């Protein structure tokens, strides 16, 4: 059974940084696609960053230049370095993975393309 587990969320002041990680288990090969989504209260879940097994990346405009996605293909571990955080970054952050490679802008990638999801980690940014 494939499982994803996020860690690294928390509370930070505007301008601060956080590093999220997502550890996977139960999958012996490298995922074709891994991604970070987030969902703020009352809003739909949105893709913010994706990375493929060939390390192709895509970012939503809202996080481009501030967030960096990276992955360890051997261990299937995903990271998200978040700098210059803003109050509007406050949300539940989810890790997602899929065996297939999904190309396209992170902001428009459908959630149902990803077979595996973590439980989420809360990020709160205060002004």
């Amino acid at each position: 059974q494939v499982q994803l587990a996020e860690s690294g969320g928390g509370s930070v002041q505007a301008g601060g940084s956080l590093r999220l990680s997502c550890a996977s288990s139960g999958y012996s090969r490298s995922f074709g696609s891994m991604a970070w989504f987030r969902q703020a209260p009352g809003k739909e879940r949105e893709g913010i960053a994706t990375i493929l097994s060939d390390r192709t990346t895509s970012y939503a405009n809202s996080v481009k230049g501030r967030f960096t996605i990276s992955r360890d293909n051997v261990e299937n571990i995903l990271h998200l370095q978040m700098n210059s955080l803003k109050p509007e970054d406050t949300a539940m952050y989810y890790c997602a993975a899929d065996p297939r490679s999904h190309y396209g802008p992170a902001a428009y990638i459908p959630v149902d393309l990803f077979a595996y999801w973590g439980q989420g980690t809360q990020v709160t940014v205060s002004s």
Side-chain angles (χ1 to χ4, degrees):
Q1 182 179 359
V2 177
Q3 292 185 326
L4 303 178
E6 303 94 339
S7 62
S11 297
V12 64
Q13 289 191 326
S17 298
L18 284 173
R19 180 175 172 85
L20 304 184
S21 295
C22 172
S24 67
S25 60
Y27 192 76
S28 60
R29 297 184 295 171
S30 177
F31 290 114
S33 304
M34 300 189 80
W36 289 99
F37 288 75
R38 69 184 181 187
Q39 187 168 18
K43 295 189 177 182
E44 292 188 355
R45 191 170 298 189
E46 62 172 350
I48 58 170
T50 62
I51 185 167
L52 307 184
S53 56
D54 64 1
R55 304 193 187 281
T56 298
T57 59
S58 176
Y59 296 92
N61 287 336
S62 58
V63 306
K64 194 175 294 183
R66 300 187 298 122
F67 291 10
T68 302
I69 190 171
S70 60
R71 64 183 286 176
D72 179 329
N73 279 345
V74 175
E75 299 292 335
N76 273 335
I77 297 175
L78 182 69
H79 301 287
L80 185 69
Q81 179 65 43
M82 305 187 294
N83 298 329
S84 302
L85 283 161
K86 305 176 181 179
E88 51 263 44
D89 294 318
T90 295
M92 185 71 78
Y93 284 70
Y94 296 92
C95 167
D98 194 83
R100 301 161 294 178
S101 294
H102 302 303
Y103 291 88
Y108 301 108
I109 197 161
V111 297
D112 56 7
L113 288 184
F114 290 84
Y116 308 111
W117 291 85
Q119 293 299 307
T121 186
Q122 178 67 37
V123 171
T124 302
V125 184
S126 58
S127 57

